Amino acid sequence: VFYGNRLQYSQEGGYEGSALDDWSGHFGNPSPIKFFHVEGSVESDGHSFVNKKEIAACYDIAYSLYKGCGVQPKDMVVISKFLEQRNALRQRLTMAGMKQVRVVDIQDFNGDERDVVIVSLVQSEYEQYNAECGFFVRNELNAVIGRAMSLIIFLGNGKTVLDSNNRTWRTLIDRVVEDRAVNGYDYDAD
C-alpha cells in the first residue's frame, strides 16, 4: 500500500506459492492484503478494550492457516493496540495449542517480521469511540504492513473504518476493495 505495492507472497519466507494459495480465506483472490469485516461489540475494563468477535475471528483465521495450509504458529503474529485484547487473544490461541503465535503491540514488534500478520483493530462503533481508537497512524500502519512477509489480514468493522475519514486507512481500504480482498462488507454500497 505505502511501499509501492511490494507486499507479495514471500520470496524469502517458507510459504510461497501453493501453501497459501489454497487457503479458504482468500475467497477466490490471492491478494496478500485482506480485510475481514467483524461486527462485534467493544467492552472495556476502564483501561483497555476487548472485542470478543474479533478474538473468535482471529482464532478461526489462525487455526485455518495452521491446519489448512501448514503455516506454523511461530510464523504468525497478531498485533493489537489494546492490552486487554492482546491478553484475551493470547489466552485463546494458547488454549488451542497455538502458544507460539506472538501477540503484541506494534511497538513490541519493531524490526521483526512474520510470514503472516493478523491485525485486530478492536473498535466497532465510530460514534462510541474517538476516531483514532485502535487505528494506527500512518507510520504505525506502514510498520505493520512492513512486518508481513507473505500475508497481512486486518480484522475490524468496515463501517467504522470508512466513517473515520482517516486518509491513511482510506488508502488501505481503496487497495483491498480494488483487489476484491474484503470479506463480509460491501464497500461499494457505502
Side-chain angles (χ1 to χ4, degrees), residues 66-85:
Y66 175 43
K67 292 298 184 179
C69 298
V71 177
Q72 295 302 302
K74 68 179 180 57
D75 296 328
M76 292 185 255
V77 65
V78 178
I79 297 173
S80 179
K81 279 191 140 185
F82 301 104
L83 178 62
E84 189 175 349
Q85 185 80 352

Side-chain angles (χ1 to χ4, degrees), residues 30-135:
S31 171
I33 302 175
K34 304 285 185 200
F35 186 93
F36 280 69
H37 172 67
V38 179
E39 267 188 60
S41 59
V42 177
E43 300 170 19
S44 175
D45 65 0
H47 302 288
S48 188
F49 298 97
V50 66
N51 183 323
K52 291 178 182 173
K53 283 200 175 181
E54 278 190 28
I55 292 167
C58 182
Y59 162 77
D60 289 345
I61 289 167
Y63 189 81
S64 72
L65 286 164
Y66 175 43
K67 292 298 184 179
C69 298
V71 177
Q72 295 302 302
K74 68 179 180 57
D75 296 328
M76 292 185 255
V77 65
V78 178
I79 297 173
S80 179
K81 279 191 140 185
F82 301 104
L83 178 62
E84 189 175 349
Q85 185 80 352
R86 291 193 306 272
N87 289 340
L89 282 161
R90 196 174 292 114
Q91 180 180 19
R92 178 69 178 105
L93 291 167
T94 298
M95 287 180 4
M98 294 186 286
K99 183 178 183 172
Q100 288 183 310
V101 175
R102 282 199 61 197
V103 181
V104 297
D105 185 2
I106 187 59
Q107 273 56 14
D108 298 331
F109 201 62
N110 277 339
D112 208 346
E113 295 178 322
R114 288 291 187 280
D115 284 295
V116 176
V117 174
I118 303 170
V119 181
S120 176
L121 298 175
V122 179
Q123 76 277 27
S124 187
E125 296 178 28
Y126 178 74
E127 295 82 15
Q128 189 173 356
Y129 305 100
N130 75 48
E132 297 304 321
C133 182
F135 288 149

Side-chain angles (χ1 to χ4, degrees), residues 149-163:
M149 293 168 52
S150 299
L151 177 65
I152 186 164
I153 302 160
F154 292 91
L155 304 174
N157 185 299
K159 182 161 178 40
T160 301
V161 174
L162 281 181
D163 285 352

